[in-house]
Amino acid sequence: MSHPLYIAFIWHQHQPLYKSPGSGVSLSPSQQYRLPWVRLHGTKDYLDLVLLLERYPKLHQTVNLVPSLILQLEDYIAGTAFDPYLTASLTPDEQLTQQQREFIIQHFFDANHHTLIDPHPRYAELYQQRQEKGQAWCLANWELPDYGDLLAWHNLAWIDPLFWDDPEIATWLKQGRNFTLSDRQRIYSKQREILSRIIPQHRKMQEAGQLEVTTTPYTHPILPLLADTNSGRVAVPNMTLPKQRFQWSEDIPRHLRKAWNFYKDRFGQIPRGLWPSEQSVSPAILPDIINQGYKWICSDEAVLGWTLKHFFHRDGAGNVQQPELLYRPYRLQTAEGDLSIVFRDHRLSDLIGFTYSAMPAKKAAADLVGHLQAIAKMQRESQSEEPWLVTIALDGENCWEFYPEDGKPFLEALYQSLSDEPHLKLVTVSEFLEEFPATATIPGGQLHSGSWVDGSFTTWIGDPAKNRAWDYLTEARVMLASHPEATEENNPEAWEALYAAEGSDWFWWFGAGHSSNQDAIFDGLFREHLFGIYKALNEPVPPYLKQPVEVHEAQTNHTPQGFIHPVIDGKGDEQDWDKAGRIEIGGARGTMHNSSVIQRLWYGVDHLNFYVRLDFKGGVAPGRDFPAELNLLWFYPEKTMVNSPVPLADLPDAAPLNYHFHHLLEVNLLTQSIQFREAGDNYQWHPRFSRAQVALNSCLELAVPWADLQVPPDYPLRLILVLADEGRFCNYLPENALIPIEVP
């Protein structure tokens, strides 16, 4: 019997608790929410995703709605939630304080400007003024209509294009400028109207059978770390752990039960699936999940790989080798009973999350469908009696900010193609498991302890700042335990504050790895939730909670913090490169120190290209102030291939310049032309075709396609940049090192 290829999309919709528990930090009652993301993502990302799906009734999907998100949506719908952004938006222009004006100029452009700001001329005009003339100039020169328009556009731009045919919204978009307080009040009313449709629409589509709605532990905590912070050492044995071991496994059934009851109340039925926060799992948490009644969970292919002691290699096209191991559900066996688990295809999920936004919509959709068709072909060739299930699971809100029109053209093209393809069938996870129960088994104790990030917990523990936050949480939890009279029934404030502080998001932003324009606010919110525990217990607040967990300064040197998709125009757009790796050159010792013409080097990747950017000292020119030839040389560690020495005269015999390399890209900085070469026998270099892009304006930007380098996914390589003058070596960067690159 031949089966179609079954595909389970799972969209994860989550926001942490931005609501302050009234902790004593100076917040007025009208500003009990510190950040606006529930309201803004609510108008842009949650409703349109399922409304679009409803147009394609053959396609079934799963959406995960975190309780902490739904709670906050309900506050906004009721009109009781006010964040500083909303309060400013509803303030008469002439009553804006100096502090509010500074806040507006700094934060009301917190959006991807390519997709949310540039398409709207007035919003783009104000953005360019701030970027080109600076915040101080705006503060000194902007008049009331400028503030009024910015307040309106910050809210309008986050309304999903699916709703632009609404007569009122269409009128505002056409109006463009000279927005009044009355206009902004109506925009706010429209936001609440959209928010009020989210849960009813999900409930309606679930009852119709097209959608499965799942849930997450109450405030999105990492359950394995609540059970025991020492679980961080399963994947990283030498991890530096917090001073105090956090072991409060009794909190796990509380989070699971609260999510279960919350779901029953909102959706009129019991949940079947559980999205473990950050797809983090461990043997210790399985009994509580089973005992609460959940039937299935999901995690990442890296967790499966660790569990089976099998690394999932991919071919040159990015398709998994031994796909039959990944594309099937498993049954976790424990003394308390069994639990089904599915593991997502990490690469396909990341393509939607991080790469397809940089491609034309139809081409991106065709690429994803092509991957699925290739998997379907492998399934047919395997002559498997059991059907395959490809799980594509990812964040369902943040990625769309980077897609034109919030992803609407991409999703429409994708859904139409999937509807027309007879060999591909989209299902909810429960639908598949009911028809094809898992036959492959994994002993519960064999399950790896890890998350969707590298199969480890390093994103949330192990860094000094993250560990400090865990120690603060431990102290607060011990304090709560010392008050046995403070039960959830008679002191709910203490317990709600604890649940909020146990959420994963605070630890995500602490320390190295991730950064945003609101790091200090996340830091403050975490401490406010801890404040709330002590306040509810009438205990003195430890002095350390009145200081930030870490100092929030701009980092200098750092490794890449995520995928990037820069526009190669030589202008160095700050948003395009904000997640790139960065190496300071100008202040370093050595060959570059004397002139400091090149001040910093940026580098990063997506699934299509490798990117490099060089920032120069102002007013300098290639050929006059620094060499006009730039050579990029790629070194492939631990791979047997033909390599050749750098083909330059006067090259010092010192590492890493005396290494042998496999690929060479020569860039003429005067003409912005390129030559690409590959090493051959007898130390020869042979010309090859390249689709690399180069642009030199205020900086140098380069994009080199992975297809040029012909390396498979999940492969390490190293890079060095060498400057030359008419074929003679001048200097190189970074100094005394190679840039480490991991192919996605």
Side-chain angles (χ1 to χ4, degrees):
M1 174 184 176
S2 65
H3 295 281
L5 179 69
Y6 291 94
I7 301 144
F9 278 90
I10 312 176
W11 304 101
H12 175 55
Q13 313 289 32
H14 161 60
Q15 294 292 337
L17 275 170
Y18 299 120
K19 187 177 185 177
S20 168
S23 59
V25 177
S26 57
L27 281 174
S28 67
S30 64
Q31 288 186 332
Q32 75 268 35
Y33 275 71
R34 294 290 302 271
L35 289 167
W37 304 124
V38 169
R39 176 172 55 88
L40 296 181
H41 281 291
T43 55
K44 190 175 78 66
D45 296 311
Y46 305 135
L47 181 58
D48 67 299
L49 187 75
V50 290
L51 287 177
L52 272 174
L53 179 67
E54 193 175 33
R55 299 176 183 177
Y56 302 87
K58 288 170 58 178
L59 309 182
H60 294 189
Q61 291 186 357
T62 302
V63 174
N64 185 67
L65 295 174
V66 178
S68 58
L69 167 64
I70 299 176
L71 277 171
Q72 296 176 96
L73 287 172
E74 291 172 347
D75 279 355
Y76 277 107
I77 294 165
T80 59
F82 284 86
D83 56 74
Y85 296 71
L86 178 58
T87 300
S89 299
L90 298 179
T91 299
D93 303 349
E94 64 276 6
Q95 293 179 21
L96 291 169
T97 65
Q98 178 79 359
Q99 186 178 8
Q100 280 181 311
R101 294 183 186 207
E102 292 173 0
F103 178 82
I104 290 164
I105 293 169
Q106 182 179 0
H107 287 290
F108 272 53
F109 300 105
D110 286 348
N112 180 269
H113 76 84
H114 295 300
T115 56
L116 290 178
I117 297 176
D118 295 353
H120 308 295
R122 175 59 168 154
Y123 201 5
E125 173 191 343
L126 295 169
Y127 176 71
Q128 289 305 320
Q129 286 181 9
R130 193 195 72 165
Q131 293 303 98
E132 295 172 6
K133 300 182 179 180
Q135 296 185 28
W137 183 92
C138 296
L139 199 59
N141 292 278
W142 274 2
E143 298 181 353
L144 293 182
D146 296 310
Y147 287 99
D149 288 351
L150 180 53
L151 292 171
W153 272 112
H154 173 72
N155 290 285
L156 271 177
W158 283 81
I159 294 179
D160 190 87
L162 199 66
F163 309 126
W164 286 1
D165 59 358
D166 177 288
E168 276 193 292
I169 297 173
T171 299
W172 292 322
L173 294 173
K174 185 177 179 182
Q175 176 180 332
R177 61 178 63 231
N178 299 320
F179 288 96
T180 65
L181 175 62
S182 177
D183 290 327
R184 302 200 299 272
Q185 291 169 335
R186 285 295 306 140
I187 293 169
Y188 168 55
S189 295
K190 188 64 65 176
Q191 288 178 333
R192 288 172 61 193
E193 181 185 311
I194 294 170
L195 299 182
S196 70
R197 297 169 58 192
I198 294 171
I199 302 306
Q201 182 66 28
H202 282 78
R203 180 169 178 162
K204 169 191 160 189
M205 291 177 65
Q206 176 158 258
E207 290 171 351
Q210 191 181 4
L211 202 64
E212 175 178 4
V213 181
T214 58
T215 190
T216 288
Y218 185 51
T219 57
H220 206 267
I222 298 200
L223 297 185
L225 294 178
L226 295 193
D228 188 352
T229 45
N230 280 11
S231 65
R233 283 187 171 159
V234 173
V236 184
N238 61 348
M239 172 182 282
T240 302
L241 292 171
K243 294 177 182 176
Q244 303 181 68
R245 187 175 181 178
F246 192 97
Q247 282 183 292
W248 292 93
S249 58
E250 57 261 52
D251 291 355
I252 293 174
R254 296 174 188 269
H255 280 279
L256 294 171
R257 183 175 62 252
K258 287 181 74 70
W260 179 277
N261 293 335
F262 189 89
Y263 184 100
K264 278 173 57 180
D265 184 65
R266 271 62 174 186
F267 295 99
Q269 63 183 71
I270 61 172
R272 290 163 292 179
L274 179 81
W275 175 294
S277 317
E278 314 292 2
Q279 294 186 343
S280 56
V281 295
S282 70
I285 71 172
L286 299 180
D288 288 318
I289 295 173
I290 292 167
N291 289 334
Q292 184 56 58
Y294 296 101
K295 300 303 181 187
W296 64 266
I297 60 175
C298 63
S299 192
D300 184 73
E301 72 173 54
V303 171
L304 177 61
W306 282 79
T307 300
L308 301 181
K309 296 180 171 53
H310 172 88
F311 184 82
F312 285 99
H313 293 278
R314 282 173 161 78
D315 61 24
N319 297 314
V320 169
Q321 297 172 358
Q322 292 186 269
E324 69 280 359
L325 293 177
L326 178 60
Y327 301 139
R328 67 186 306 175
Y330 288 82
R331 195 168 75 250
L332 297 167
Q333 297 176 312
T334 78
E336 283 75 13
D338 292 353
L339 179 70
S340 296
I341 184 169
V342 296
F343 297 94
R344 71 170 186 156
D345 183 307
H346 191 110
R347 186 170 190 272
L348 292 183
S349 304
D350 274 1
L351 284 171
I352 298 173
F354 303 109
T355 293
Y356 286 150
S357 59
M359 296 170 61
K362 289 185 178 179
K363 184 178 180 182
D367 186 80
L368 180 56
V369 173
H371 281 296
L372 294 171
Q373 289 170 328
I375 297 168
K377 183 181 179 187
M378 288 190 287
Q379 177 185 238
R380 291 192 298 272
E381 291 173 348
S382 73
Q383 298 182 336
S384 171
E385 291 294 318
E386 294 190 2
W388 288 7
L389 176 70
V390 177
T391 301
I392 299 174
L394 68 149
D395 184 306
E397 57 205 357
N398 292 315
C399 67
W400 307 119
E401 185 177 340
F402 301 90
Y403 280 76
E405 296 181 52
D406 206 50
K408 181 171 173 281
F410 167 74
L411 287 173
E412 288 175 333
L414 176 64
Y415 289 167
Q416 189 60 59
S417 295
L418 292 171
S419 295
D420 296 340
E421 168 54 80
H423 302 295
L424 306 177
K425 184 174 182 178
L426 267 63
V427 292
T428 70
V429 177
S430 287
E431 274 180 332
F432 183 87
L433 291 173
E434 285 166 11
E435 187 173 354
F436 308 106
T439 56
T441 59
I442 297 173
Q446 184 181 321
L447 181 66
H448 174 67
S449 298
S451 75
W452 66 269
V453 184
D454 301 327
S456 75
F457 298 125
T458 55
T459 299
W460 300 275
I461 195 169
D463 172 277
K466 299 177 193 294
N467 287 349
R468 193 175 307 120
W470 276 105
D471 285 329
Y472 291 177
L473 177 62
T474 302
E475 291 287 348
R477 186 65 183 85
V478 169
M479 177 59 73
L480 179 55
S482 73
H483 285 264
E485 78 287 354
T487 65
E488 285 195 81
E489 290 71 33
N490 64 29
N491 197 333
E493 294 83 4
W495 287 93
E496 288 296 315
L498 171 71
Y499 296 143
E502 288 179 334
S504 72
D505 295 79
W506 325 117
F507 303 94
W508 171 283
W509 294 110
F510 287 134
H514 298 97
S515 184
S516 76
N517 200 21
Q518 282 109 11
D519 283 4
I521 297 177
F522 281 108
D523 188 328
L525 256 173
F526 171 70
R527 289 180 290 112
E528 282 181 36
H529 293 308
L530 294 180
F531 257 80
I533 299 171
Y534 291 94
K535 183 179 178 183
L537 298 172
N538 290 315
E539 291 282 358
V541 176
Y544 56 76
L545 286 184
K546 297 176 183 178
Q547 302 297 324
V549 174
E550 62 178 331
V551 177
H552 299 282
E553 295 178 344
Q555 295 181 324
T556 51
N557 287 11
H558 58 79
T559 56
Q561 298 181 348
F563 291 97
I564 61 172
H565 320 287
V567 176
I568 305 301
D569 56 11
K571 297 179 180 177
D573 184 285
E574 66 176 37
Q575 283 191 355
D576 285 359
W577 292 89
D578 65 347
K579 289 184 171 59
R582 170 172 163 165
I583 300 173
E584 293 292 325
I585 303 296
R589 298 179 180 178
T591 55
M592 296 300 297
H593 178 64
N594 296 331
S595 61
S596 296
V597 170
I598 298 176
Q599 299 191 310
R600 67 192 55 85
L601 182 156
W602 307 75
Y603 65 100
V605 306
D606 61 17
H607 288 88
L608 305 175
N609 301 296
F610 169 73
Y611 301 98
V612 174
R613 167 181 150 194
L614 295 179
D615 290 351
F616 302 101
K617 189 176 179 180
V620 301
R624 185 190 70 197
D625 304 295
F626 60 95
E629 299 167 19
L630 177 68
N631 298 270
L632 281 71
L633 293 118
W634 281 270
F635 173 75
Y636 296 78
E638 302 173 12
K639 188 173 175 92
T640 303
M641 54 174 53
V642 178
N643 295 300
S644 294
V646 181
L648 294 176
D650 301 337
L651 193 73
D653 185 16
L657 294 170
N658 58 5
Y659 288 12
H660 288 186
F661 299 87
H662 187 66
H663 284 118
L664 165 64
L665 183 73
E666 304 171 41
V667 182
N668 186 306
L669 300 177
L670 295 175
T671 62
Q672 297 178 47
S673 56
I674 60 170
Q675 294 184 53
F676 187 60
R677 292 193 276 173
E678 186 176 290
D681 292 328
N682 303 314
Y683 296 154
Q684 299 297 305
W685 287 96
H686 302 295
R688 294 289 184 265
F689 176 72
S690 172
R691 291 183 174 85
Q693 302 174 62
V694 60
L696 177 61
N697 195 317
S698 56
C699 67
L700 175 74
E701 293 180 309
L702 273 168
V704 183
W706 296 120
D708 285 5
L709 303 179
Q710 298 179 326
V711 290
D714 301 315
Y715 191 82
L717 50 150
R718 303 290 180 262
L719 175 71
I720 187 173
L721 280 66
V722 180
L723 288 158
D725 184 10
E726 295 185 353
R728 308 186 80 83
F729 168 80
C730 294
N731 43 45
Y732 73 99
L733 58 149
E735 297 194 325
N736 308 312
L738 294 166
I739 300 172
I741 308 162
E742 302 296 326
V743 184

